[in-house]
Amino acid sequence: MINAVHDQGEPDSSWSVANWLDYLLSIHPKNIEMGLDRVQQVFDRLDLDLSTSTIITVAGTNGKGTTCAFIEQAAMKAGKSVAVYSSPHLNDYRERVRINNALVSGKEHCEAFLKIEQARGNILLTFFEFATLAALTLIEKHNCDIVLLEVGLGGRLDAVNIVEPNMAVITSIDLDHQEWLGNTRESVATEKAGIFRQSIPAVIGEDDPPSTLVELARLTQVDAYWQQRDFRYHHGNQDWSWKSKTQTLTCLPIPSIPIQNVSTGLQVIELLNFKLSEEQVKKVIATASLPGRLQQISEDPPVILDVAHNPHATRNLRSYLQQFNFSQLHLVVAMLADKDIQATLEPFTSLGAKWYVASLDNPRGAESKLLKSVLDETEIVLEFDEVSQAYSRAVKTAKTNDLIVVFGSFFTIATILENRN
């Protein structure tokens, strides 16, 4: 992840990715500045041509990364070349751009950064705006059949929205980033709907869409496909099924990413008319994965990592854990202080779990005592100064038939993966 900033002189071709990341953090006084005027100006100067690619913009409170990963891996199975832009990364900035599920070299990233620096002149760009333009530069260079652009925040005013898509996808609608997106699902939906364009297909994976989303789909005249109306899934005990207007798939394997997101991805690949057999589709469902999303890194005892950091995500995580049989649940958690900590932890209360709460080593990180303070006194809670300490204690304490779950932030999961490598 990204923390440090230092003065290193003027940018040039000798800079490393680390040099550039420090510089990007230093050139704008804010981490987030909503609005597209500045980034649009620089984008126009770059004169990028993405017209030969099918561009899919993906927004949503949760599920963007796994939905993109599923579509990406289905595209590759269909013989298509595919580029993905996503954020944030876990351990390596280069994770933000994938070409056919592989990272782009640091040298290419640095060349793209220098191109943006030269194009922007005196226009101030936030870290995310600069990174988005650099990613688009890389994606144009590789000229892929399919381009998946994950929206960083909201939709309407996100830097990704400068690109005109051929298809829009909204994975879920819930509360997060309330200071930017509002305090209701209706206001969040209004921001997400900013990626709609007249007459293009829009696949909505949210199965309980707010009225504002429905109304904006009508007003913008997108060709909308709604979960539970135009396509749907049914979860059985050992498998699941999926049905759209044109096909039915049965006896599908249980995926390692949320079924709701796989269902959304299936509607997307149907619209893209990928020539995949039913067996190929089942293979993609069985194997599609993304680091830090319902990721199992150990079996004795089982250890699950998930970047869940808002109430919607932890409810989904809690539901996923129902498939496990365990004697004792061990929860390792560290979060950012600006999240709704109490509501995020609530799905795991009253389960008799042992909590290992840690302070997060980040300027926005919450201290362990804050996490402990929102939990009921009946919960068993141990406090730690660092995530690695909390995780180490959980591993030492847990027995073979227990379950360890680590969640709360991308930073939390990044720490575990970094120490594991």
Side-chain angles (χ1 to χ4, degrees):
M1 304 301 280
I2 305 162
N3 289 305
V5 180
H6 63 262
D7 183 13
Q8 55 206 347
E10 292 298 314
D12 61 41
S13 58
S14 70
W15 275 17
S16 67
V17 172
N19 293 142
W20 276 107
L21 298 185
D22 284 353
Y23 178 69
L24 266 57
L25 286 168
S26 72
I27 60 174
H28 196 288
K30 298 178 182 178
N31 290 326
I32 299 171
E33 182 174 338
M34 303 299 269
L36 298 180
D37 290 345
R38 291 167 296 101
V39 71
Q40 184 72 58
Q41 288 182 59
V42 183
F43 181 70
D44 291 343
R45 292 178 185 179
L46 292 167
D47 195 26
L48 301 179
D49 182 6
L50 301 170
S51 61
T52 60
S53 302
T54 297
I55 298 171
I56 305 170
T57 303
V58 183
T61 304
N62 296 301
K64 298 184 294 292
T66 50
T67 302
C68 285
F70 178 79
I71 300 167
E72 170 192 32
Q73 289 161 50
M76 291 175 63
K77 180 70 73 174
K80 305 290 186 180
S81 59
V82 56
V84 179
Y85 172 51
S86 65
S87 65
H89 62 277
L90 284 169
N91 297 112
D92 185 337
Y93 175 85
R94 295 179 305 138
E95 296 167 23
R96 295 185 179 222
V97 178
R98 300 194 301 271
I99 305 295
N100 296 326
N101 203 28
L103 304 186
V104 176
S105 71
K107 181 176 183 291
E108 285 185 88
H109 277 280
C110 291
E111 290 171 352
F113 286 142
L114 187 58
K115 187 172 182 177
I116 306 310
E117 176 66 12
Q118 292 168 343
R120 77 177 181 90
N122 60 358
I123 297 174
L124 289 179
L125 296 172
T126 67
F127 181 98
F128 182 76
E129 291 167 345
F130 204 118
T132 298
L133 290 169
L136 294 174
T137 300
L138 288 169
I139 287 169
E140 182 207 38
K141 176 182 176 182
H142 286 271
N143 191 29
C144 293
D145 300 319
I146 308 293
V147 173
L148 295 158
L149 301 177
E150 183 183 318
V151 171
L153 176 63
R156 182 175 62 93
L157 298 177
D158 186 88
V160 166
N161 206 31
I162 58 176
V163 180
E164 291 300 311
N166 303 104
M167 184 185 298
V169 178
I170 295 180
T171 58
S172 64
I173 303 289
D174 215 282
L175 299 182
D176 199 7
H177 304 291
Q178 286 96 317
E179 67 273 31
W180 302 104
L181 306 181
N183 294 312
T184 66
R185 292 180 74 243
E186 289 72 22
S187 64
V188 172
T190 298
E191 295 299 321
K192 306 292 186 191
I195 68 169
F196 288 163
R197 302 290 193 275
Q198 184 176 354
S199 299
I200 71 168
V203 178
I204 295 94
E206 170 60 56
D207 54 15
D208 181 25
S211 59
T212 49
L213 190 65
V214 176
E215 178 64 8
L216 286 167
R218 184 185 68 81
L219 290 174
T220 54
Q221 297 180 316
V222 292
D223 183 16
Y225 293 78
W226 301 89
Q227 184 108 258
Q228 304 304 351
R229 188 194 76 178
D230 302 298
F231 62 100
R232 64 183 66 241
Y233 62 93
H234 175 72
H235 198 333
N237 291 327
Q238 303 296 325
D239 57 22
W240 63 289
S241 60
W242 183 82
K243 181 179 177 61
S244 70
K245 290 181 176 180
T246 60
Q247 64 174 318
T248 299
L249 301 172
T250 60
C251 300
L252 299 175
I254 302 298
S256 61
I257 60 178
I259 287 178
Q260 179 178 338
N261 300 336
V262 176
S263 174
T264 304
L266 285 170
Q267 181 61 71
V268 171
I269 67 173
E270 179 179 284
L271 292 171
L272 292 172
N273 198 27
F274 288 171
K275 303 300 183 183
L276 293 173
S277 69
E278 187 168 329
E279 286 307 308
Q280 287 177 312
V281 171
K282 288 181 178 180
K283 180 70 172 177
V284 175
I285 293 171
T287 58
S289 63
L290 192 64
R293 281 73 160 187
L294 303 178
Q295 180 182 5
Q296 185 168 343
I297 63 169
S298 176
E299 293 184 359
D300 188 16
V303 177
I304 305 296
L305 309 182
D306 197 84
V307 297
H309 55 271
N310 55 48
H312 181 267
T314 52
R315 290 195 299 271
N316 286 343
L317 176 58
R318 171 71 181 91
S319 178
Y320 174 78
L321 298 181
Q322 292 176 357
Q323 67 182 279
F324 292 89
N325 294 315
F326 51 85
S327 296
Q328 178 67 57
L329 180 61
H330 302 262
L331 299 172
V332 180
V333 57
M335 295 185 65
L336 296 175
D338 54 12
K339 298 300 179 182
D340 188 342
I341 294 174
Q342 184 167 6
T344 301
L345 300 186
E346 194 277 331
F348 293 103
T349 59
S350 304
L351 295 178
K354 291 183 178 178
W355 293 81
Y356 305 77
V357 299
S359 299
L360 198 55
D361 183 19
N362 181 279
R364 295 163 55 205
E367 294 187 8
S368 60
K369 63 182 180 182
L370 175 58
L371 274 66
K372 183 176 181 180
S373 70
V374 305
L375 293 169
D376 190 271
E377 292 181 358
T378 60
E379 302 284 341
I380 304 169
V381 185
L382 299 176
E383 290 186 67
F384 298 88
D385 293 332
E386 298 177 0
V387 171
S388 56
Q389 294 173 346
Y391 178 65
S392 178
R393 176 69 68 86
V395 169
K396 290 177 181 177
T397 304
K399 296 179 172 58
T400 299
N401 55 350
D402 291 350
L403 176 64
I404 300 173
V405 179
V406 186
F407 71 99
S409 170
F410 277 83
F411 294 99
T412 306
I413 302 307
T415 299
I416 303 301
L417 292 175
E418 186 173 11
N419 291 337
R420 179 170 171 259
N421 293 334

